[in-house]
Amino acid sequence: MSDLWTSEEIASATGGTASASFTASGVAFDSREVTTGDLFVAMKGEATDGHRFIDKAFDQGAAGAIVSQPVDQPHILVKDSAAALEALGRAARKRMSGKVIGVTGSVGKTGTKEALFQALDRAAPGTVHRSVKSYNNHVGVPLSLARMPRDSGFGIFEMGMNHAGELSALTRMVRPHAAIVTAIAPAHIEFFGSEAAIAEAKGEIFEGLEPGGTAIIPYDSPHVATLYNKAERYAARILTFGLREGADVRASEAVPAPGGGTLVTATLPGAELCFTISAPGEHWVSNALAILAAVEAVGGDLGIAGLALAELPGLPGRGERQRLAVGGGEALLIDESYNANPLSMAATLRQLGREEAQRRIAVLGGMRELGERSVELHEGLAGPLTSGRVDYAILVGAEMTPLAHALDGVLAFDHVADADAASELLQKRMQAGDAILVKGSNGIGLSRLVAALKKNMSRCAAHGKDTD
């Protein structure tokens, strides 16, 4: 393992005092994630204090720690550990001479970030760094920066927000050369009041652009003008992407690919590219166009990016597809359990309607942080459910009550209280030949349902049992 940080560098970046010399090969703020050679950042929060887990971190192999109170192990003593992590992230960004891409949006952030990683890493293996998981907030972004190797050729960072001003702070830390807004939807609308306000807040990502930087915005969005106006103030170049005529990066042709996915012909300024996207759905065509725009903006290889898009692995909770043994045959499980908002719900239900299946089943959890529009937006899912040719739905959580009322007499469904009840019901009802979509806000816990399905169906397959 190469040295990521020396104790001297950490002390210099944070203004802290080193108790001893050490080197760190990684950074973590959760003691459960500490591995050999890591720097453990002990932060004080509302619920707990990381200093309580110092011994555990070192037992797991930590090389040193950032602390705000002295400890017996090698450490850097600072006034505020959270502020020190931010300072370390800024120092990591300052010493990195490669190209940086920032990604935000109401939907598609993590998938776009991961696909960008695949596209760039395929051309330059081992030189691309990206934020892991969905570490996209005021703690996750500096952590992801602090983990970036000094010799990285590219850095890709996901940035999220649920209040105005948050992205402004994050993007000035990341300082991207290219900044993407994937899409605008009423996610977190409880805190904004309107989609227009969300678009304005998402546009904050352009405030941190490096001189000569590129803003990448969705041309098909009704809020393209808001985003464009924001970008004009900070970007040297603006690239729009979309399906409509007039986009700078446009899908001039998109047709279903054999075996799933989409065959796309994309037109870019000065180039045309034909490629396949392995991930199915029109929303992934849009994501792919944003990815190509970013690759072009940072001088990457478009041809190799196209090859990477054809081999994208599915992400758990974000579109992973798996065949489950059931009833002497198989059912298709589409795992979208990580999060949901009205736009992403509609997109995945449209794709479910295109699946070849004997029955289409949608397990939908409530959408959170919709505020006063919650009833209206949940009721509005009735249209996508019927147009998506769904045969049966399981609605999960109290938020789904308005949708249950809207579907009464229209579609076969059950409405249950929680993910555990949904899991039990689905396992009784599912049959061979089903295509099953599982989607809801993370707080609903539908990932537990997915895990139970995988475990139980795999067990049945191993023992040759019929689940009916």
Side-chain angles (χ1 to χ4, degrees):
M1 292 182 291
S2 61
D3 293 340
L4 182 66
W5 294 101
T6 67
S7 52
E8 291 76 18
E9 288 173 329
I10 300 167
S12 175
T14 63
T17 302
S19 69
S21 291
F22 62 86
T23 59
S25 55
V27 185
F29 61 68
D30 186 334
S31 62
R32 296 167 296 185
E33 296 182 358
V34 170
T35 59
T36 301
D38 278 352
L39 171 70
F40 175 57
V41 185
M43 294 192 293
K44 295 181 179 180
E46 294 180 4
T48 188
D49 183 349
H51 294 83
R52 292 170 46 201
F53 305 102
I54 288 287
D55 290 340
K56 178 182 177 182
F58 278 91
D59 286 344
Q60 291 182 193
I66 290 179
V67 296
S68 57
Q69 59 194 51
V71 297
D72 293 335
Q73 296 88 342
H75 64 269
I76 308 295
L77 183 63
V78 299
K79 291 182 179 179
D80 183 327
S81 297
L85 178 59
E86 289 188 10
L88 196 64
R90 289 191 179 92
R93 175 65 184 89
K94 184 176 181 180
R95 72 183 184 181
M96 183 264 202
S97 59
K99 297 292 185 179
V100 173
I101 302 171
V103 183
T104 193
S106 301
V107 294
K109 293 186 294 295
T110 302
T112 297
K113 175 209 49 173
E114 290 296 322
L116 261 171
F117 172 79
Q118 297 291 337
L120 293 171
D121 188 67
R122 186 170 181 133
T127 69
V128 186
H129 172 78
R130 92 281 206 189
S131 49
V132 298
K133 300 182 182 179
S134 289
Y135 283 173
N136 61 22
N137 64 7
H138 66 287
V139 177
V141 169
L143 175 70
S144 297
L145 282 166
R147 288 173 165 175
M148 180 166 57
R150 64 187 80 224
D151 59 352
S152 296
F154 297 97
I156 309 165
F157 298 92
E158 178 181 340
M159 289 175 267
M161 59 92 192
N162 55 23
H163 289 85
E166 288 179 303
L167 268 179
S168 181
L170 295 177
T171 189
R172 286 184 166 89
M173 211 180 299
V174 171
R175 291 169 34 219
H177 297 89
I180 301 170
V181 176
T182 59
I184 303 297
H188 312 301
I189 199 167
E190 176 182 4
F191 307 116
F192 291 94
S194 69
E195 280 194 21
I198 293 172
E200 187 67 33
K202 289 294 185 185
E204 291 174 11
I205 194 172
F206 305 133
E207 295 177 11
L209 278 169
E210 287 285 86
T214 301
I216 300 168
I217 62 179
Y219 189 73
D220 299 334
S221 171
H223 306 287
V224 61
T226 297
L227 293 169
Y228 203 98
N229 290 340
K230 186 81 170 182
E232 281 187 312
R233 293 153 57 187
Y234 302 98
R237 184 187 186 198
I238 300 173
L239 286 176
T240 60
F241 66 91
L243 306 178
R244 293 192 295 121
E245 190 76 36
D248 298 315
V249 181
R250 183 174 67 87
S252 54
E253 188 175 13
V255 297
T262 309
L263 294 170
V264 180
T265 300
T267 302
L268 296 87
E272 186 172 83
L273 182 68
C274 297
F275 63 100
T276 301
I277 307 169
S278 62
E282 188 177 281
H283 55 296
W284 260 107
V285 175
S286 180
N287 290 346
L289 296 173
I291 290 160
L292 293 180
V295 170
E296 194 273 344
V298 298
D301 189 308
L302 288 170
I304 292 179
L307 293 175
L309 289 169
E311 299 176 3
L312 287 179
L315 297 175
R318 295 181 173 87
E320 184 180 59
R321 300 159 74 87
Q322 185 167 339
R323 293 284 175 177
L324 303 177
V326 55
E330 290 184 331
L332 171 64
L333 174 65
I334 304 169
D335 177 14
E336 289 274 1
S337 60
Y338 184 78
N339 217 337
N341 60 55
L343 183 63
S344 63
M345 280 282 201
T348 50
L349 286 167
R350 278 197 302 273
Q351 180 55 35
L352 180 62
R354 299 186 183 106
E355 299 292 340
E356 292 296 329
Q358 294 180 19
R359 293 191 309 171
R360 297 173 188 84
I361 296 175
V363 183
L364 304 183
M367 301 178 291
R368 300 283 172 86
E369 297 182 351
L370 298 181
E372 295 178 354
R373 295 189 62 192
S374 181
V375 170
E376 165 204 347
L377 293 172
H378 280 91
E379 284 178 340
L381 295 179
L385 273 164
T386 54
S387 62
R389 300 193 293 165
V390 173
D391 298 290
Y392 170 60
I394 299 176
L395 311 181
V396 187
E399 296 95 340
M400 280 295 180
T401 300
L403 178 57
H405 292 155
L407 291 178
D408 192 19
V410 176
L411 181 75
F413 72 92
D414 282 298
H415 185 196
V416 298
D418 55 38
D420 294 332
S423 179
E424 182 179 350
L425 181 59
L426 178 61
Q427 290 181 65
K428 290 179 180 178
R429 295 288 186 90
M430 62 190 291
Q431 302 172 4
D434 288 343
I436 304 164
L437 169 67
V438 180
K439 189 167 182 63
S441 286
N442 194 36
I444 301 296
L446 291 182
S447 59
R448 298 199 307 273
L449 178 151
V450 171
L453 282 180
K454 291 179 179 179
K455 179 181 178 181
N456 293 343
M457 296 304 106
S458 296
R459 183 187 301 125
C460 292
H463 292 280
K465 294 182 179 178
D466 192 318
T467 58
D468 285 348

